Amino acid sequence: MNIHAQRTSLSGHVQVPGSKSHTIRALLLASLAEGESRIHNPLPSADCLSTAAAVPLIGAAVDLARGEDGEPGSVWTVQGAGRAAHLPSDVVNVGDSGSLLYFLSPIAATFEGWSVFTGDESIRRRPVHHVVDALQQLGAEAYTSQPGSQCCPLLIRGPISCARKVVTGGTVSSQYISGLMMAGMLMDGTLSIELTDPKETPYLTMTQKWLEKVGVPVSVSPDFRHITVSGPVHISGFDCTIPSDWEGVAYPLIAALLTDSEIVIDHVDCSGTQGDDAIVALLQSLGADISWDRANESLTVRGMKKSRSGVGRLSTAALPGGELHADLSGYPDAVCALAAVACFVEGSTYIEDIAVCRRKETDRISVLKQELSALGAEVEEGEDFLVIHGHSPVLEDGSPNPAFALHGGTVRSWDDHRVAMSLACLGLGLPAGESLTVLDAECCSVSFPRFFDVMNGIGAQFSAENALH
C-alpha cells in the first residue's frame, strides 16, 4: 500500500493505541503466571499478535476475544502455564518483533533442551550475538545457525544458571536485558547482570516495575550498571490495563505542530514508565505550543497559525549555542519523529547517541538521511548521530521563509513502521501544491494498527493505493 500526503490542517480529539512495550511484557508475564490474567486495552499490532501466537508454545493459552470481523477485542485473557511452563514445543517464529525475540529467548534458555528462534527477513538481519554471548556466560549453548552470521536463526540449549553473573554492554539493545530480567524469576538463585554501558534505560525501569508488580524481587542500581533478580518466583494471574503508547503519541503530535492545527490527544500515559514522553519537553524547548493536562491525561497541541502566538515557528534560537542537542539513548524509537519535525525547525538539531538505531527494523540513521535528503532537507550522518540543519516555513512575523526548501516526492518506508509514519506526517506540512508518496506504508500495523484511518479521523486526508510489484 502506498500513501499520499499533502498539506492539510487537523482538528478534534484523537487517541492512540495501547503501548506495544507494555502489551508484550504483560503477555509474557501472564503466560508464566499461575491462573488467569486479563489484559485491558492491549495493542493489537503485528508484534503483539506475534507474541500472542508464540506463548502457547511454552504452555499458555491466549483468547484475543476476536469479534465477528475477526479483529482482536479490547480485553485479552491469558491462561498462564505457571509451574507447567516448558521449553518451546516448536520453532519460535517472532515475525518482525525484535522485542519478542530478545525477551523470549532468555526465558526459553531457562528450560532444559534446544529451542530455535527465527523470524521474517528483517529479523534475520538483526544481530543476536549479544544474546548468544550473555546466554553462554550463564552456561547455555547458544549459536547462530549460519557460520559467520550474527543473526537468526538462533539456537539455544539450556538450562542457564545463576552460578556466574552476566557482564554485557547494553549498547546493542536493552531488550535482551529485559529478557534476562524476566528469565531471572524462573531461575534458582539470584541472577546478577552487570552492564558496562547501559542504554535505553527507561525500558529497563519498565521491566523492573512489571516484575515488582507481580511480586518478583528485583534491584536496579541508580546508574543501571548493576541489576539483580531473585527466583524462582511463582507468580499469580493478574488484571492490568495497558497505558497509551508514547511512541504512537509522537505522530499526531508532530503532525499538528507542522500544520495549522489544534488537536487533543486523549488518555496519554502519565505514569513515567515510557521514556518517550521526554519528546514533549524537547519540542517545547523549540517553542512548540503543547499543553499537558496530567489530571485529565491529555495533550493539547496547537501548530502554526493555530498556535497561541499565531505563527507557530519552531526554532533553536533560545537554546544554548543556538542548537538543539538531543540525547536519545534512553528512547531511540523517537528518532524518526524528531528527525521529521527537525526539518521544520529553524536551526540545527543534533540527535545523538543513537547507534542502536542502525540495528532496528532497518538502519534508521542511514535511511533517514537518504529519504529526508531526497525531500530537500540538509542532513548529516555519523556512526551514532544525525544532524538536521532545518528551516521554519515561516519567518518570525509569520511571512513565508525563502530559506525553507523542503518539497514533495516519493520516499520508501523500508518496511519500517516508524519511518513510514514519520514521513507521512512530514508530508502534511509541505508547502501548498506539494505532495508526498510513501511506498509500502502498510508496515505501520506493526505498532499502530489503522494509523492512517485514525489520522484521517482528525483531518489528515491520507489517501491510499495498492502498491504494484
Side-chain angles (χ1 to χ4, degrees), residues 74-123:
S74 60
V75 182
W76 297 354
T77 303
V78 181
Q79 297 294 335
R83 289 174 172 81
H86 54 69
L87 189 76
S89 56
D90 199 351
V91 172
V92 181
N93 188 320
V94 303
D96 191 32
S97 179
S99 300
L100 176 57
L101 169 65
Y102 295 139
F103 288 169
L104 188 54
S105 52
I107 292 171
T110 65
F111 302 108
E112 184 173 356
W114 286 98
S115 55
V116 181
F117 287 79
T118 191
D120 67 6
E121 183 180 0
S122 172
I123 281 293

Side-chain angles (χ1 to χ4, degrees), residues 7 31 49 63 111 133-134 141 171 178 213 230 247 263 296 302 360-361 371 384-385 395 408 411 414 429 439:
R7 186 160 191 83
S31 299
L49 296 177
D63 180 358
F111 302 108
D133 178 69
E141 293 183 58
T171 56
S178 286
K213 173 184 171 69
S230 297
E247 295 165 4
I263 66 169
N296 292 309
R302 304 175 185 88
K360 294 289 187 177
E361 282 80 347
E371 301 302 340
D384 67 346
F385 67 86
L395 300 174
V411 292
W414 298 79
L439 303 179

Side-chain angles (χ1 to χ4, degrees), residues 65-373:
R66 292 186 184 275
E68 293 183 0
D69 58 0
E71 294 298 314
S74 60
V75 182
W76 297 354
T77 303
V78 181
Q79 297 294 335
R83 289 174 172 81
H86 54 69
L87 189 76
S89 56
D90 199 351
V91 172
V92 181
N93 188 320
V94 303
D96 191 32
S97 179
S99 300
L100 176 57
L101 169 65
Y102 295 139
F103 288 169
L104 188 54
S105 52
I107 292 171
T110 65
F111 302 108
E112 184 173 356
W114 286 98
S115 55
V116 181
F117 287 79
T118 191
D120 67 6
E121 183 180 0
S122 172
I123 281 293
R124 296 195 305 276
R125 293 195 303 265
R126 297 178 71 172
V128 293
H129 61 281
H130 51 298
V131 181
V132 168
D133 178 69
L135 296 180
Q136 287 178 344
Q137 288 185 51
L138 294 173
E141 293 183 58
Y143 311 96
T144 54
S145 66
Q146 300 181 34
S149 171
Q150 295 187 337
C151 306
C152 283
L154 170 64
L155 288 71
I156 303 166
R157 183 180 183 180
I160 52 178
S161 165
C162 293
R164 289 187 295 170
K165 70 178 177 182
V166 179
V167 180
T168 187
T171 56
V172 177
S173 168
S174 69
Q175 292 170 331
Y176 75 108
I177 309 301
S178 286
L180 289 169
M181 292 168 69
M182 286 186 274
M185 61 181 273
L186 303 176
M187 300 171 69
D188 187 7
T190 297
L191 173 64
S192 296
I193 305 169
E194 181 176 320
L195 303 182
T196 58
D197 188 12
K199 303 291 184 183
E200 300 181 310
T201 54
Y203 295 104
L204 300 179
T205 299
M206 183 187 293
T207 303
Q208 176 187 8
K209 289 184 178 296
W210 268 105
L211 290 174
E212 291 172 343
K213 173 184 171 69
V214 298
V216 177
V218 56
S219 171
V220 179
S221 66
D223 62 2
F224 292 91
R225 291 181 177 272
H226 306 284
I227 301 172
T228 61
V229 182
S230 297
V233 178
H234 303 292
I235 65 176
S236 300
F238 52 86
D239 275 23
C240 66
T241 299
I242 302 300
S244 57
D245 191 349
W246 266 100
E247 295 165 4
V249 167
Y251 304 107
L253 174 57
I254 67 167
L257 292 177
L258 304 183
T259 54
D260 298 327
S261 301
E262 181 174 353
I263 66 169
V264 178
I265 307 175
D266 293 314
H267 304 297
V268 298
D269 180 15
C270 299
S271 68
T273 59
Q274 301 183 57
D276 301 74
D277 61 7
I279 195 172
V280 171
L282 271 181
L283 294 171
Q284 287 173 329
S285 75
L286 298 169
D289 188 346
I290 307 171
S291 302
W292 188 345
D293 184 343
R294 293 177 182 270
N296 292 309
E297 299 183 332
S298 67
L299 287 178
T300 300
V301 189
R302 304 175 185 88
M304 303 302 289
K305 294 179 181 178
K306 291 294 183 69
S307 67
R308 283 173 287 190
S309 70
V311 177
R313 174 180 162 97
L314 303 178
S315 172
T316 63
L319 297 173
E323 300 171 340
L324 173 62
H325 288 263
D327 182 342
L328 263 59
S329 61
Y331 51 109
D333 284 335
V335 164
C336 297
L338 183 58
V341 77
C343 297
F344 295 77
V345 173
E346 190 67 34
S348 297
T349 298
Y350 292 75
I351 307 176
E352 300 167 332
D353 205 353
I354 55 169
V356 68
C357 290
R358 293 195 181 278
R359 299 179 289 270
K360 294 289 187 177
E361 282 80 347
T362 188
D363 181 342
R364 287 178 178 162
I365 295 177
S366 176
V367 162
L368 286 168
K369 181 182 187 302
Q370 177 175 329
E371 301 302 340
L372 295 176
S373 297

Side-chain angles (χ1 to χ4, degrees), residues 381-397:
E381 170 189 356
E383 182 58 33
D384 67 346
F385 67 86
L386 273 172
V387 185
I388 294 98
H389 303 288
H391 290 286
S392 170
V394 294
L395 300 174
E396 292 181 8
D397 63 0

